Structure formats: structure tokens, C-alpha cells
Amino acid sequence: MMVMAELAQSLRDDAFVQDPYPFYARAMSMGDLFVWQDMATVAAASHRSVSWLLRSKDWGREMPAALGPEPAVEIEPFARLDRCSMLELDPPRHTRLRKLVNRAFTSRNIANMEPEIESLTHQILDHLPQRTELQTEFCEQLPVRVIARLLGVADDMCPQMLSWSHDMVAMYQARRDQEVQRRACAAAQAFTQFITSEITRRRRQKSDDLMSQLVAVEDQEGGLSTDELVSTCILLLNAGHEATANSLGNGIKTILESGLDPVEILSPPQRTSTVEEILRFDPPLHVFERYARCDNELVTTCPRYQLPS
């Protein structure tokens, strides 16, 4: 009988947070799957098992009702946004929302912003002191200002939106407790009120910003509901900002530690390969949950895991 390896590693351990890769290497040496004791779950470590689980239609993002109770009333402001988030949905709901959003969120819209993003980057860098905390003063500031302009929100709202984003995203971190929940719900309520007022303004007078385009999608047959529209606008900021800010920080750190010439590896045609390798080498997000959508035996359908030595 094959026995799955069991490993212990707290997600709150600072040494692990700063450098999780020794633990990952140990986990991968045990095979495709292992029991992560601290998370009370089976974890996939190898490329083939992770790839299989993410592609399999038998495994999804939405938690089956039988596995957990409805969110408590005290976190309902946060849960209401979460229920309409594309990040938390499986097909067909995810497919419908993504198709509607893609009508407004086009590659051409993003490409047209490239000169503005480059100019904004120089503006932020030019005003930094010689010694600065790069993560908070640059890596966090650039994405939130870009997304705010994409949505058509005034620059002076960026500090407030950044604060709301940090408080809400903390709900997905290992440090979650009652105070984190309280701050996340307060942020969700305030953010919802702000986005709702912005949507109301665009219904009266539309412009060419992304939020106006999403409002236009709302009016189409089978379009976005108000809750979906609010959640999508908040998702664009929270998910888009947090992941980009951390990718920038990880990327700058990686390049500085590599000893390579930044000008060389960030110039065309190497630039694209450098960015892709940074995202592979030290990504901003490491753990994704998937739930079984039907009864199945993972160890017989997933590529066979190896016996621990």
C-alpha cells in the first residue's frame, strides 16, 4: 500500500515567508502529492500534478456547499463581493463574466496606455529620494495609479483605494483573525459605496474609461448585474494591483541579486523573456485551492506520486 508523505510547515513562519523554496524542494522530493499538515489538506508540488489539477474539469475553484457553512453575518460585506468575483467562480458563471468583461478590457485599450504608463513611471521615480523604501514608494504606487486611470478614477483617490485593497486582500493571508476580518469588511463596505457612486455618475454621463465601458456592458442582454459590476471594478484594482506590486518588488530584487546588467536584460528583445522568467522564478502568488466537483480518486487519475525515500 502506498503511503503519502506528510510535511509540517507553518505559513506564519517568517523564514518560510521570506524564502519558501527550500520547503518546496523538500516537498517535491517526496513526489507529486503530499499532506500539508498545517493546512490540513493534500497539496500538489510537482509541475505535472499542479498542471493536471488546474486543467481537470473535475476540480474547481468554488467550494461545494457541503464542505463549509455560509459566511457569517459579520463578514457579509466582504463575502458579497467575493461571491461575484471571477477569481472565485467556475464555468459557466466564470465564462459568462469573463466574456462580458473582455468586451471592454481589450488588449488594444491596454496597449494604448503604454506611453502614459511609461511617463507615469518616470514621474514617480523622478520624485523619489536617493534612499527610499522601493516597495511602498514605487512598486505599490505605479500599479494603483495605472489602474485608477484605466477605470477613470481620480489620482487623489489612490491612497484610499490602496488602503482598502490592503485590508481586503489580508483576508486571503495566513494571518487572518477577527481584527483582519473587521478591517476587511469595513474596507469592502466603503469601497462598494465609492464604486457604486462612480457607476451612478457614469450612468448619467459616460466617458471612454474602462468603468464606463463596463457600465455599457451592463445594459446589454445578459449583461453584468450591479453586484457583478461593483465586484469586477474592485477586483480589477485589488487583484491587479496586489499581484503587480509584488511582482515588481520580486523582479527588482531578483535582478539586483543576479548580477546581470538591467539595461541589457530589460531591453528588446530580451525584455519579454526577462519578465516571464521573473514571474516563473519568484511569482507573487504561490498557493491556489481547488475543490473536487465530483467523486474521484486523485491518486488513480493524477499522474502517480512517488513513494518517499
Side-chain angles (χ1 to χ4, degrees):
M1 178 178 178
M2 304 183 81
V3 179
M4 195 177 300
E6 296 192 18
L7 296 176
Q9 174 58 64
S10 171
L11 278 74
R12 297 189 178 210
D13 176 44
D14 187 62
F16 169 75
V17 172
Q18 295 303 318
D19 185 12
Y21 298 107
F23 173 75
Y24 294 166
R26 183 182 171 206
M28 285 190 290
S29 72
M30 299 293 184
D32 293 326
L33 304 170
F34 70 98
V35 176
W36 196 330
Q37 295 175 343
D38 304 74
M39 297 179 67
T41 190
V42 173
S46 68
H47 179 275
R48 63 177 182 173
S49 59
V50 171
S51 179
W52 184 89
L53 282 164
L54 292 179
R55 294 172 186 273
S56 173
K57 294 182 179 180
D58 291 340
W59 294 81
R61 187 68 185 90
E62 295 182 53
M63 178 187 290
L67 293 183
E70 286 293 314
V73 174
E74 59 266 23
I75 67 167
E76 176 57 24
F78 176 87
R80 182 177 181 179
L81 292 174
D82 219 35
R83 285 194 291 268
C84 293
S85 170
M86 283 188 289
L87 289 183
E88 305 299 332
L89 299 177
D90 292 325
R93 290 185 66 199
H94 178 275
T95 306
R96 171 182 156 271
L97 286 178
R98 181 171 180 174
K99 183 177 180 180
L100 289 169
V101 171
N102 280 349
R103 296 180 189 176
F105 201 85
T106 65
S107 56
R108 188 191 330 188
N109 288 345
I110 304 304
N112 289 341
M113 286 195 70
E114 185 173 342
E116 184 176 2
I117 293 173
E118 185 173 348
S119 174
L120 182 57
T121 300
H122 286 292
Q123 288 177 30
I124 297 174
L125 290 175
D126 290 345
H127 287 85
L128 291 181
Q130 189 171 9
R131 294 181 62 85
T132 188
E133 208 295 305
L134 204 61
Q135 184 64 30
T136 56
E137 298 303 318
F138 173 71
C139 297
E140 291 186 357
Q141 299 305 317
L142 178 61
V144 71
R145 290 173 67 176
V146 168
I147 296 172
R149 293 185 181 188
L150 188 66
L151 291 172
V153 175
D155 280 356
D156 59 11
M157 278 299 299
C158 287
Q160 180 60 77
M161 292 195 300
L162 194 60
S163 176
W164 288 334
S165 177
H166 286 332
D167 285 345
M168 293 178 65
V169 171
M171 287 285 279
Y172 302 106
Q173 299 172 1
R175 63 186 179 91
R176 175 175 171 174
D177 55 22
Q178 287 189 337
E179 177 58 18
V180 167
Q181 291 183 175
R182 184 193 68 77
R183 293 174 64 90
C185 288
Q189 282 183 307
F191 212 160
T192 296
Q193 291 171 359
F194 170 70
I195 293 295
T196 300
S197 67
E198 290 286 302
I199 290 170
T200 300
R201 182 164 64 86
R202 282 162 178 77
R203 284 173 178 155
R204 293 195 302 264
Q205 185 177 4
K206 297 178 182 179
S207 64
D208 59 354
D209 59 68
L210 178 58
M211 195 181 300
S212 292
Q213 294 177 50
L214 290 172
V215 169
V217 171
E218 177 190 30
D219 296 333
Q220 298 177 13
E221 183 179 355
L224 297 166
S225 68
T226 300
D227 281 351
E228 289 170 343
L229 179 55
V230 171
S231 179
T232 298
C233 290
I234 292 176
L235 172 66
L236 288 173
L237 178 82
N238 287 359
H241 159 263
E242 294 284 346
T244 306
N246 291 326
S247 293
L248 283 171
N250 290 352
I252 292 170
K253 176 177 180 291
T254 297
I255 291 173
L256 292 175
E257 292 178 343
S258 72
L260 298 172
D261 181 2
V263 174
E264 178 181 350
I265 64 176
L266 291 175
S267 298
Q270 294 95 330
R271 179 189 300 160
T272 299
S273 297
T274 297
V275 172
E276 290 180 351
E277 178 60 11
I278 285 171
L279 293 174
R280 183 204 67 81
F281 181 74
D282 196 10
L285 301 170
H286 289 214
V287 179
F288 293 87
E289 293 179 325
R290 290 294 183 270
Y291 299 96
R293 302 177 69 181
C294 59
D295 292 338
N296 65 84
E297 295 185 23
L298 180 61
V299 294
T300 61
T301 52
C302 181
R304 299 297 294 182
Y305 59 89
Q306 304 160 6
L307 281 172
S309 57

